[in-house]
Amino acid sequence: LAQSPCDYEVLSQIAYITYLMQLYHESLLYYRQCIEINNEQIANSIISNWFSYHQYGKLLHFYSRDLHNAEKFYLQSMRLNAHNLAIYYDIAKLYIDSGEWSLSQHYFEHFFGLIEACIQREMHSKRLKNIRPLLHVVHFEFGKLLFYQLKRKHLGKQHIAEALRLQPTQSAYHFEYAKMLQATHSFHGARKYFLSCVRAAREEEIGAALEAEYNHECCRFLTDC
């Protein structure tokens, strides 16, 4: 980098490595340098270009909490590569954070639509394989959006149930499903998942404060019902 301070490839690699090391401030600066490099040099590295926009958008979103500029870079990345599955989840999360529920729903649905299209065409691409381990997170976040913000309670519960099926050891999923069942007066099911939440929390080692919260909510439910 000292010999070629404007080498886009070197800068993008350093930016990504510092991101993996959770040195988010440094990563943000390196990605900003990548994006500021002249368009002619970037045009010769179109894959890194869309990836850099996406990564920079994520850092603005989750690290700097600059939602306005994060949206801008997400959309630029999406225009360069409309088949990047991960970005649809990230922008859906951004619209949850900014309170734009309908836009968030749109991008969640687009995410699942792309996955369904890949499965139907038996296209087991690298991107699809990479996103599979995170599917439970996407179902969980979409389920909460549907249930609480969009008032589509049945569909919201379906997504939480799918998140549980994919990742049955997550105590947070048991807890959320129990709360949803309680809210829709499915008390027998709620009891089952409050108790399974407490068991999962013990094995998951989530920390004393959160485990105490789950125990408290479970005891309160059992007392009230």
Side-chain angles (χ1 to χ4, degrees):
L1 184 60
Q3 294 178 353
S4 305
C6 292
D7 188 315
Y8 180 78
E9 295 294 338
V10 173
L11 278 170
S12 61
Q13 288 173 25
I14 295 173
Y16 185 58
I17 290 168
T18 51
Y19 176 82
L20 294 177
M21 294 172 66
Q22 299 184 356
L23 301 171
Y24 298 130
H25 181 71
E26 289 83 351
S27 183
L28 188 75
L29 295 177
Y30 282 119
Y31 275 119
R32 185 179 298 160
Q33 285 181 264
C34 289
I35 289 164
E36 288 173 353
I37 290 174
N38 68 75
N39 291 332
E40 183 178 351
Q41 186 175 354
I42 290 177
N44 294 325
S45 186
I46 192 67
I47 294 177
S48 294
N49 191 19
W50 67 258
F51 185 76
S52 292
Y53 279 130
H54 184 183
Q55 289 295 111
Y56 189 53
K58 284 175 70 172
L59 287 162
L60 290 170
H61 177 190
F62 295 108
Y63 172 69
S64 299
R65 307 303 295 172
D66 182 352
L67 301 185
H68 175 73
N69 283 309
E71 177 190 28
K72 181 174 72 173
F73 284 101
Y74 280 157
L75 292 172
Q76 286 177 330
S77 178
M78 206 178 295
R79 279 193 289 270
L80 292 169
N81 183 4
H83 299 288
N84 173 20
L85 289 167
I87 201 166
Y88 293 98
Y89 169 67
D90 288 333
I91 199 166
K93 276 285 291 175
L94 181 141
Y95 288 128
I96 287 178
D97 292 340
S98 63
E100 298 176 80
W101 317 130
S102 295
L103 275 172
S104 182
Q105 179 186 6
H106 168 77
Y107 284 106
F108 272 121
E109 289 175 346
H110 201 86
F111 172 91
F112 286 113
L114 284 174
I115 286 183
E116 186 61 31
C118 288
I119 292 170
Q120 288 180 355
R121 297 172 190 167
E122 298 184 351
M123 294 170 58
H124 300 291
S125 67
K126 182 179 178 182
R127 291 194 190 110
L128 184 56
K129 290 177 182 177
N130 288 342
I131 208 71
R132 277 189 186 278
L134 298 175
L135 269 178
H136 62 96
V137 178
V138 187
H139 279 290
F140 182 65
E141 293 295 337
F142 191 30
K144 290 192 296 180
L145 173 73
L146 288 164
F147 190 91
Y148 296 111
Q149 275 75 43
L150 299 174
K151 309 304 179 187
R152 299 182 64 184
K153 297 187 183 300
H154 180 68
L155 190 55
K157 286 190 294 184
Q158 285 183 335
H159 278 277
I160 300 296
E162 182 61 14
L164 257 173
R165 187 188 70 80
L166 293 169
Q167 196 72 13
T169 60
Q170 283 276 358
S171 58
Y173 297 178
H174 290 264
F175 181 72
E176 197 62 59
Y177 198 44
K179 294 291 286 182
M180 288 180 175
L181 291 169
Q182 181 184 17
T184 53
H185 307 291
S186 300
F187 298 122
H188 179 73
R191 182 181 187 277
K192 173 185 173 182
Y193 283 98
F194 272 122
L195 291 172
S196 64
C197 167
V198 171
R199 288 194 298 270
R202 287 190 192 125
E203 301 199 359
E204 200 180 354
E205 297 181 356
I206 56 174
L210 192 53
E211 187 174 349
E213 179 188 344
Y214 290 165
N215 286 333
H216 173 74
E217 290 295 329
C218 180
C219 290
R220 190 168 71 169
F221 172 78
L222 293 173
T223 302
D224 292 345
C225 295

